[in-house]
Amino acid sequence: MGWTTKDIPDLTGRVAVVTGANGGLGYETARELVRKGAHVVMAARDTAKAAQARGSILAEIPNASLELQRLDLASLDSVRQAAAEILTRHDVIDLLVNNAGVMGVPEQGTVDGFEMQLGTNHLGHFGLTALLLPALLRSPGARVIAVTSTGRHFGRPVDPANPHLHGSYGPWRAYGQSKLANVHFALELQRRLEAAGVPVQSLVVHPGFTHTDLQARSVRETEGGASQRFFHDSVQRFGMSPARGALTLLRAATDPAASGGQLYTPRYVNWGPPVQRPLFGRSRNRAAMSTLWKVSERETGITFDVAVIRDETR
Ligand SMILES: NC(=O)c1ccc[n+]([C@@H]2O[C@H](COP(=O)([O-])OP(=O)(O)OC[C@H]3O[C@@H](n4cnc5c(N)ncnc54)[C@H](OP(=O)(O)O)[C@@H]3O)[C@@H](O)[C@H]2O)c1
């Protein structure tokens, strides 16, 4: 059988922020969290799609406690504004699911000139997490969830001299780099949280091969790129449903037995119920983690010092 949504504990009184909650895995995650009583901030770029997503959840769960927050992770101004707005409404956040992402898209820049996949998948979430940390610290046991992919296995650590892959861009190279960065950020965050002696925990998940808009978008944006089409065709035939894929996120986010620094994936790499799996190889490269942290602070201009934020937070 394995772990299912029936195993999610009661979440009444908990506040969760889910990025990319207007579709795919983020939507499923938001829906199951509110079903169990959490209040969910649906942080999304396309607000019309988000309003529709909220309506669908409310049609199914009329007492769902949901709010919409505009967030474009490809703009640091938007990240700052979203964090400030969330903090005016919520002193305490119990769960931050850094789910939103893009995959295998052509070379393009964010508003701040970052390579789009690193900018959206990692740097935007890095800034958001830093800015929301005061509210996470006020929870008795908050969790931050990063979402990686099997792309982490071919991703290279961020090169401080060229994080945006100028002159060496490839859509899969950039995706792999961003998804390895998701793991390195999660583990380095956990190390720093532990060092600061605070109860927030950082976990990472790979959801498995799941049929969402991720693959279709990569085909649209590359105007029919061959490898993008291959994944799109395959996922339609062999992919899990978004509800199945979201189980890894939900387990890492809510299972009382899960703890900081852990990776959750489907049992059979890309398919199956969510289980904890060891991290190995380049995922555990400590030097790369600390380099990533420094590069992320430099690029975003956001200082992320857990101990300082702890001392400033009442
Ligand atoms: N599906 C899979 O097989 C698979 C496998 C491994 C890992 N993942 C990871 O799972 C995560 C969720 O992907 P998904 O499969 O659910 O894909 P999806 O259906 O395409 O959803 C991606 C979400 O990210 C949002 N997003 C994209 N760019 C954004 C930006 N600049 N600012 C804010 N939100 C943005 C999208 O919002 P808009 O529609 O408003 O743009 C959408 O809500 C990603 O991190 C992906 O790398 C997925």
Side-chain angles (χ1 to χ4, degrees):
M1 258 304 281
W3 194 93
T4 71
T5 52
K6 292 200 179 73
D7 296 303
I8 301 176
D10 178 37
L11 300 174
T12 307
R14 299 299 189 97
V15 173
V17 177
V18 180
T19 71
N22 60 3
L25 296 164
Y27 171 82
E28 297 293 332
T29 301
R31 188 182 61 175
E32 296 313 314
L33 293 174
V34 290
R35 199 193 296 285
K36 291 291 178 161
H39 173 80
V40 173
V41 179
M42 301 175 76
R45 171 171 58 172
D46 181 336
T47 45
K49 191 172 146 193
Q52 226 174 22
R54 180 172 182 266
S56 305
I57 295 177
L58 282 169
E60 190 183 330
I61 310 164
N63 61 347
S65 183
L66 288 166
E67 73 187 58
L68 301 184
Q69 174 62 53
R70 174 160 161 75
L71 166 70
D72 182 354
L73 288 158
S75 157
L76 287 176
D77 275 353
S78 175
V79 169
R80 284 199 188 86
Q81 189 174 343
E85 288 173 7
I86 292 169
L87 290 176
T88 58
R89 296 192 301 269
H90 299 284
D91 277 346
V92 181
I93 297 171
D94 302 285
L95 178 61
L96 171 60
V97 184
N98 286 328
N99 156 78
V102 286
M103 176 185 83
V105 294
E107 184 167 21
Q108 57 199 293
T110 67
V111 170
D112 307 283
F114 305 153
E115 182 281 308
M116 183 60 78
Q117 300 190 68
L118 188 71
T120 305
N121 301 356
H122 168 64
L123 291 170
H125 283 130
F126 178 87
L128 185 70
T129 307
L131 297 168
L132 293 183
L133 189 63
L136 291 159
L137 288 169
R138 291 192 196 99
S139 165
R143 290 186 189 179
V144 179
I145 310 300
V147 181
T148 184
S149 144
T150 46
R152 71 189 182 281
H153 295 307
F154 59 78
R156 300 214 193 120
V158 163
D159 172 3
N162 189 13
H164 304 299
L165 304 177
H166 296 304
S168 59
Y169 185 83
W172 298 111
R173 180 176 186 175
Y175 187 63
Q177 172 178 262
S178 75
K179 289 290 134 180
L180 184 60
N182 292 144
V183 179
H184 286 166
F185 172 51
L187 297 184
E188 183 66 11
L189 177 60
Q190 175 61 24
R191 195 186 69 72
R192 288 169 183 247
L193 292 164
E194 271 174 34
V198 295
V200 183
Q201 302 195 70
S202 167
L203 298 90
V204 57
V205 311
H206 158 53
F209 197 43
T210 308
H211 186 196
T212 63
D213 194 42
L214 192 74
Q215 301 82 9
R217 172 172 293 185
S218 69
V219 173
R220 286 195 302 274
E221 293 213 8
T222 54
E223 295 174 1
S227 53
Q228 287 79 359
R229 266 191 290 126
F230 169 77
F231 284 116
H232 186 225
D233 291 347
S234 307
V235 83
Q236 292 178 76
R237 273 186 268 167
F238 308 119
M240 292 190 289
S241 68
R244 296 268 297 161
L247 289 177
T248 42
L249 282 76
L250 288 162
R251 184 164 190 182
T254 67
D255 185 344
S259 66
Q262 290 181 336
L263 166 73
Y264 279 82
T265 78
R267 187 187 303 278
Y268 309 108
V269 184
N270 270 319
W271 298 271
V275 294
Q276 194 222 321
R277 284 284 184 236
L279 284 146
F280 54 85
R282 61 188 73 182
S283 289
R284 290 164 57 95
N285 182 339
R286 282 289 311 280
M289 290 176 208
S290 97
T291 300
L292 176 71
W293 200 277
K294 286 187 208 126
V295 171
S296 305
E297 287 187 321
R298 183 189 76 196
E299 296 299 303
T300 60
I302 296 173
T303 307
F304 193 165
D305 187 322
V306 175
V308 169
I309 299 171
R310 174 200 64 196
D311 294 343
E312 287 172 355
T313 303
R314 281 163 294 149

